Every structure is written in structure tokens, then in C-alpha cells.
Amino acid sequence: MMISCLRGALLSFRPISALLYPQQGKGWFDPKWRSLVHVTCLHGTVKHFQFKESLISTSKMASHIVGYPRMGPKRELKFALESFWDKKSGAEDLEKVATDLRASIWKQMSEAGIKYIPSNTFSYYDQVLDTTAMLGAVPDRYSWTGGEIGHDTYFSMARGNAIVPAMEMTKWFDTNYHFIVPELAPETKFSYASHKAVSEYKEAKALGVDTVPVLVGPVSYLLLSKAAKGVEKSFSPLSLLPGILPIYKEVVAELKAAGASWIQFDEPTLVKDLAAHELAAFSSAYAELEPTLSGLNVLVETYFADVPAESYKTLTSLSGVTAYGFDLVRGTKTLDLVKSAGFPSGKYLFAGVVDGRNIWADDLAASLSTLQSLETVVGKDKLVVSTSCSLMHTAVDLVNETKLDSEIKSWLAFAAQKVVEVDALAKALAGQKDEAYFAANAAAQASRRSSPRVNNEEVQKAAAALKGSDHRRATTVSSRLDAQQKKLNLPVLPTTTIGSFPQTVELRRVRREYKAKKVTEEEYVKAIEEEIRKVVKIQEDLDIDVLVHGEPERNDMVEYFGEQLSGFAFTANGWVQSYGSRCVKPPIIYGDVSRPKAMTVFWSKMAQDMTPRPMKGMLTGPVTILNWSFVRNDQPRFETCYQIALAIKKEVEDLEAAGIQVIQIDEAALREGLPLRKSEHAFYLDWAVHSFRITNCGVQDTTQIHTHMCYSNFNDIILSIINMDADVITIENSRSDEKLLSVFREGVTYGAGIGPGVYDIHSPRIPSTEEIADRVNKMLAVLDTNILWVNPDCGLKTRKYAEVMPALTAMVNAAKLIRTQLASTK
């Protein structure tokens, strides 16, 4: 076959996998095409030729994707949502963007050769909230009157509105994704109020793609729910199982009528430590659903950890279920369980061997070996290659990356590339192994192992030496607080904010132009200095006691630090959804970590010189940097965390030397890294808390160390939080119905400063002075006056000044009001 080139005759023609492994060749992969072609010309010109799938093979191997990123490769959904919320566009515009994204995702997977393609994994905000809408479980305060739930009610539950607050938001298992927690009560009435699952199945079918509709399973939905305020101690949401199953039956019946042959129930709570009555709920639920499920293939999907032996036994005996999905990346013990405990005859095993939570290229040879070992247990025709979980936890497409160098890029695979890996493994398992693709993968794996960029002996020795001490400050927190108060002279109920201030369009433009070298460093510094001066004046005018500089120089609280640490790499478009329209761009930790130079001292000192009030130095802690990054998978996570802690320790000491008296080391993600199984908690908390203490063990007693945590259930780790030995902790409280305060009502003694958030910054709703004062009074009922701080739940970066100014005014006024009340009672 002759193919002509632009400047010369054809010399070679071969398949290559160069999108994943670009240093191996200069070919190009497009999932629309089933063959990859590398062409070299006499004059060095490279041309790319593609053969369409229909010319090669039309059969699809046993391959499956649990879920896929929703935001789009260029965050199309984010911008459409925010335009809709700002009333700059209408519902039709938003729905058009959503429809186009869904079509693109389904088409991509179909053309890549995936057999079992998911639908109903798209969401305007969150899949658990979608289930709440499906069940019509709308809390009364949203004044929903029935019928199909529309955007207004849906987004009010997610974000709140001018009248009522949003529903609680918390972490999705141990990820950085957040879900909207259902609020249920004994009197909650259910109705089929959102037909989204059926509509999206039909939408895909009309495009010629037969999908597997995905539903959050009924038992996991209830186990992830919370009892509404007032019935927390007397009511279990699980008791409502008989009430929601009729809705599930309606949905399943409609899906069957629409032509669905498979349905996927996500039941991730099966990986947690479950009580006997909770496991029994799974058995009863699927027994009740069995007649409705008849005629369908039913997959129950689990992810994020091992399935415990008792849960495995329950899962594999569920009525009406024909397939089971397991995370075999984080759940390696499940693999042993399948082999030792056996697998039900005639059932399908969806083997999650491609990591859905990280960005490293799969070790294809190792995964293929795992799959081949399962074949003897499950049977060749019953084994399906899958991802370990939804790919929504990784970046979208490596083809969009221009910032990564070719060596690091060769080690990676984003969601689009993981789809290709799944298909390649399925084909190899079926005897159609692409030898060139596997060889390129093996070469990339070897390159990463041997690269001198990965290993730094000096850093490794310093981290190893940490294990001989607990790195606790020499004096007690009470004595430190006394010394700090003498120096800082703060009022009762001191006010502060968490760190960031609104990031305006103009501010983002300045940063973007500086990175693009369109403005000089001098112009950039001047612009940031002006922004800091503005933020300082705002806080002084509001009469806030401990100030922040607003972080105008920072794009993201993790990326900003990672850009200045060795061992990190950064993407141009590696965005991952955190919640709603909020996306983060996690750094990639590929090697040993160290700090070449100071990272924040210049800006913090500049801000402190603008005001006589205390100015907080703002740092992100080592555990949060770790948990909010894509972490190297070639060494234990705690070793990487200790390396980061040493880097942050140097920064803390430089800030102190520069005259910064209050230093905040955020550990927003400490709780989210907690393993899902209680037997693993102690080990994680030991090294995570130790890492935090390393960062500040060398400062003077008069230097006040703050930390901040957000959006998690802290009650079960409160003793570890105390063990962090911070002088002051600010912590999310308002959106979770102040459940944090219950810890102190139950007798936990806390002697350090503490600032439970007094209002929810993730909602556009502006609280009143009276509302905040009421919250503070509830705190004073369980906390001493001399340790309580008044602050928002989290940073203000995502809000507008029109929302921030009145909210902070109300906060400061509430603190002053209560100070006056306290003074009058003396």
C-alpha cells in the first residue's frame, strides 16, 4: 500500500501508541479510529493516517466504564452553569451544552470500542442530588409543590437561595468530590419526580448508542442520607427503604420499556464497615426489586476499597443480580477474596483494573496478568474489563495538554486514554493483543522507574530521619495562647476570615497575562500589590481583627505551592470536578519533593507592612497538598507526605523570621483521606497528624499556628484534631447543621482556640446579623468565651464582593453585639 508524504517517499508504516507514550514515536491516536499509523518520510516530515473502525473490526470486546467526567474537556458545563446562575443565559442554553457533552462522551466511548457504556452519570451538580430529585425527596423549606423537579428547585437544594440555605454538602467517600446529603424524616413522602435516567437512556439510544443506565443504589442512597434536624437520635433513614423501592421499580420498568438490557446500581457503601442490619437491607431491597428486574442484566458496582468478606457474601447472593463490579486497584484484597471464597457460577465479574482515581498510565502487563488469573475463576466469557471507579475523579483528556513535557506525558493517562486502556486490555484478553501498544506501555513504565527526575537521595534521607520524633511543640497550648494574647492583644470573640477573597475577572486576567509573559514582572507585582492593599483596607474598614492578604497571586491553594516545589508537574487543562461548577486542577507529584526557595514570604510581608493588625501567613498543609494532588503510586503515601511536611516547615520558619505572628496551615483535606475501613484509621491518622506537627514544631510560643478544615464529618476524629496541637482551628460548621457542636455537648474538652464557621460561603445567600449572633450563642453554650473565634466556613474566592461585603459586615456586627452582651453580664 502506497501513502505519499508531503516532501518524500514513504519509508515506514507501523501501528504506534504515541498519544500515551509520545517519546516512543510521533503517531497520533483518535478514539474514532481503530488503528494507529506512524509514517516517516525522507525529509523527516511526519504525516498521520488513520483507518476507520469499520475497516478493521466492528466487534466490541467485554469492556466497561463505570462513569466519565461531566465538565467537558474545556469545562464547558462549568461556564454554562455559571452563566445560567448569573442569569446571563437561559435554561435552553444550559441544556444545549449538556446535550452536546453527553453525545460527545457516548460517541467517544462507542468509537473507542467500549461495550458497556454508562448513561445517567452526567449531572448538573451531583449524582446523589439527582437521586434525591428522582425520589421527590425535597425538604419542605424549598416549597416544592410536586411534578417534575425543575432547575429552580434543584439548584436551590444544591446552592440555597435568597430565602433558605442549601442542603448539607460533604465529601464523597475519601475523594475530593462533594455530594449533597439527602435530608430525610419519618414523614418524608416519595414520588417519581425526575425522569432523567430514562430520558438520558433514550437520548443515547436515539444517537445509536445502547447504554447501561446507572442509578445510585437504594441502600447506599439511604446510608449516605442524614436524619433531618430534630429527629437525628430517634430516626434512621434506612427505615425508609420500603418507601423508596416503589420509585426504583417505576424507573426500572420505564428503562425496560425503553429497551434497556443492562442496568447498573452503584452501591459503594458495601466497601465500608456495615452492621448486620445494614447488610440485611441489601438482601431485602434486591429481593423486593427482583420481579421488576426480571429480563434485565443487573450490575451492582462497588468502588474505592476492598469489599469485606461479609459484604462480599451478601453481595454475591443478592436476588436478581447478574454481575458484580469491584475496584481491584484500591481493593486488592477483594481479588484474593474472589479467588479464595469463590465466585457465583454463571455471573459476570466487572474487574476494575484501570485506576479511575489517578492519572498514571496503567501497567498493562500487570493488569493483563490479573485478568488472566481471574479467567480461571470466573470463566472467559463472564469477565469484563472495567475501570476501578468513575473516571470523573481524573482529568479529561491528555491530548489537550501542552504544558507537560514529553517524558512526564508518556507516564500518564487521563480519562480518554483510560478508555483506550480498558479496550486494549479487553482485546488482549480476547486474544487480539496490540503488541506495539503494550510494548510502548512497557517502555514508558521502565522510563518512569529509572528517571533521575523521580529520585532525590538527600530528600529521602531527611524524610527517613523524621521517624525518631513526634515533633510536638515543647509547651502546652494553654501557655502558648497566653503568650500569644499578650503579644496580639485580641478582643473576646476575635474575627477573621479563612484566607482567600473574591477573585475578579480582572485579577484572573492579570495572572493569565503574567504567565503568558504579556506583562512584566514589575507590572504584575504592582497589580497584585494594589489588590492586596484593597483587601487589607476592606478588612480594616469592616473592623476584622486578624487579617488575610486575600491570596490574589494564587490560582489554587494546592497548585500554587506545587508550582514552587520540586517533584511536581502541572497541566494546562487537567481539571477535575470538586462540586457543582467548582473544578480544581490537581498537581501531579511524580518525584521526591523539596522547596528550592521561599514561596509566600514576599507577599505576606508586603501585606503585614500595610497594617498594624495581625496579618496571617497563609499556607496549605502537607496532608491537603497530598490528598488534593495526583500522587505518585511507586511509594507509600506517607513517605511523600513527610517530604512535603519538611518543605512547608522551612516556609513556616521563614515566615516567622519575616515577622509574621499568625500562620495558618490549612488541612482542609485531612479528614477526606481517612480510609473507609476503621481498622486502617489509626495508621493514617498517626502519620497525617505527625506530618502537620512537623511543619510548625520549631516556632516560638508567641507565634500563633492556625489550621482550617472544611466539609467533612469531624466528630469521629476530634481526638486526632486535638492531637494536631494547633493553637487555633477554624472548621466548617454552618452547612452541616452545626453537628460539630454535638462533640462538645458530649463532653469533649478542647482547650485551643476554635472557630466553627458562622455562615456558608458556598451559597450566594447572605446571612443576617441576628442569624449569625444566634449561631455564636449556640457555640458559647458549649465552648468557653476565651477560645471562640468568629469566621466564615471557608475561603471567599468563589463569591462575589456584592455577597461578601454584607455577609462579613453581618459577621463583625454579630461578634460586636455579643461582646456587648457579654460585657453587660459581668
Side-chain angles (χ1 to χ4, degrees), residues 170-190:
T170 195
K171 299 289 186 179
W172 178 243
F173 293 79
D174 59 347
T175 73
N176 187 32
Y177 177 74
H178 303 66
F179 74 98
I180 303 298
V181 182
E183 299 174 19
L184 304 176
E187 63 274 13
T188 301
K189 304 298 182 188
F190 300 101

Side-chain angles (χ1 to χ4, degrees), residues 253-296:
E254 284 196 9
L255 287 168
K256 283 172 66 175
S261 58
W262 278 84
I263 189 168
Q264 175 179 320
F265 289 102
D266 281 5
E267 295 281 13
T269 55
L270 278 164
V271 305
K272 302 182 81 173
D273 297 310
L274 299 179
H277 76 280
E278 293 170 327
L279 288 174
F282 284 95
S283 299
S284 63
Y286 285 88
E288 177 69 19
L289 290 172
E290 183 178 15
T292 309
L293 295 172
S294 177
L296 283 171

Side-chain angles (χ1 to χ4, degrees), residues 55 62 102 165 209 254 416 485 493-494 544 560 597 608 633 658 711 721 738 743 753 790:
L55 300 178
R102 289 192 295 266
V209 182
E254 284 196 9
Q485 179 58 16
L493 306 179
I544 291 174
Y560 176 78
K597 61 181 180 180
Q608 183 63 83
N633 58 0
Y711 292 101
I721 291 173
E738 300 162 346
V743 176
V790 179

Side-chain angles (χ1 to χ4, degrees), residues 470-712:
D470 67 359
H471 297 88
R472 192 180 295 275
R473 292 169 80 177
T475 53
T476 64
V477 68
S478 60
S479 65
R480 297 198 304 266
L481 288 174
D482 287 342
Q484 292 155 13
Q485 179 58 16
K486 288 175 183 176
K487 192 168 186 179
L488 298 173
N489 193 29
L490 299 173
V492 171
L493 306 179
T495 54
T496 191
T497 64
I498 303 306
S500 61
F501 263 63
Q503 300 234 332
T504 62
V505 172
E506 175 64 18
L507 183 57
R508 291 191 175 99
R509 182 193 64 78
V510 168
R511 281 206 312 264
R512 187 169 58 249
E513 290 185 351
Y514 177 61
K515 283 196 170 184
K517 299 182 179 179
K518 293 181 180 179
V519 298
T520 66
E521 183 172 0
E522 182 180 355
E523 291 170 325
Y524 172 72
V525 170
K526 182 180 179 181
I528 298 299
E529 182 178 8
E530 288 175 0
E531 182 70 18
I532 292 172
R533 195 175 300 279
K534 180 183 81 171
V535 169
V536 169
K537 186 175 188 307
I538 285 172
Q539 293 170 92
E540 288 181 328
D541 290 347
L542 288 169
D543 204 16
I544 291 174
D545 300 302
V546 177
L547 310 190
V548 298
H549 76 290
E551 304 177 9
E553 78 284 9
R554 304 185 190 185
N555 44 12
D556 174 83
M557 65 182 289
V558 173
E559 183 177 8
Y560 176 78
F561 289 94
E563 284 177 336
Q564 301 181 78
L565 295 168
S566 64
F568 282 75
F570 303 89
T571 63
N573 293 292
W575 297 99
V576 180
Q577 184 184 16
S578 179
Y579 63 87
S581 68
R582 168 75 169 151
C583 298
V584 294
K585 192 147 56 76
I588 298 166
I589 306 178
Y590 67 84
D592 292 327
V593 178
S594 61
R595 187 198 73 147
K597 61 181 180 180
M599 302 179 285
T600 66
V601 176
F602 175 78
W603 301 114
S604 292
K605 189 175 186 309
M606 174 191 288
Q608 183 63 83
D609 289 345
M610 295 176 183
T611 179
R613 301 188 184 210
M615 175 65 63
K616 285 196 282 190
M618 300 299 305
L619 304 175
T620 302
V623 183
T624 297
I625 290 176
L626 183 88
N627 285 337
W628 286 358
S629 296
F630 290 123
V631 184
R632 57 189 296 190
N633 58 0
D634 59 346
Q635 71 177 14
R637 289 172 70 87
F638 71 84
E639 291 186 10
T640 302
C641 198
Y642 283 158
Q643 293 177 1
I644 302 169
L646 284 173
I648 300 300
K649 180 176 186 290
K650 291 180 180 179
E651 189 71 14
V652 168
E653 291 166 357
D654 282 353
L655 282 168
E656 183 183 55
I660 305 301
Q661 302 173 62
V662 181
I663 301 171
Q664 182 170 306
I665 307 166
D666 285 345
E667 283 297 11
L670 187 141
R671 174 62 176 78
E672 85 178 36
L674 193 69
L676 300 177
R677 305 284 287 282
K678 290 179 181 177
S679 60
E680 300 170 9
H681 286 190
F683 177 69
Y684 167 78
L685 289 169
D686 179 66
W687 64 255
V689 170
H690 186 192
S691 295
F692 176 82
R693 290 202 306 262
I694 288 167
T695 64
N696 60 87
C697 63
V699 300
Q700 300 173 22
D701 284 1
T702 51
T703 298
Q704 190 167 85
I705 298 296
H706 289 223
T707 191
H708 172 69
M709 296 182 178
C710 58
Y711 292 101
S712 286

Side-chain angles (χ1 to χ4, degrees), residues 16-20 27-37 48-53 104 107-113 397 399 416-417 419-420 423 437:
I16 197 68
S17 304
L19 175 59
L20 285 174
W28 182 268
F29 176 81
D30 184 332
K32 298 176 184 175
W33 306 83
R34 300 306 309 144
S35 181
L36 304 111
V37 177
H48 310 292
F49 297 86
Q50 303 162 319
F51 290 116
K52 200 161 186 176
E53 177 178 3
S104 173
K107 186 179 180 183
Q108 174 191 347
M109 283 192 265
S110 178
E111 292 178 339
D397 195 344
V399 77
Q417 288 70 50
V419 169
V420 177
D423 181 61
Y437 184 81

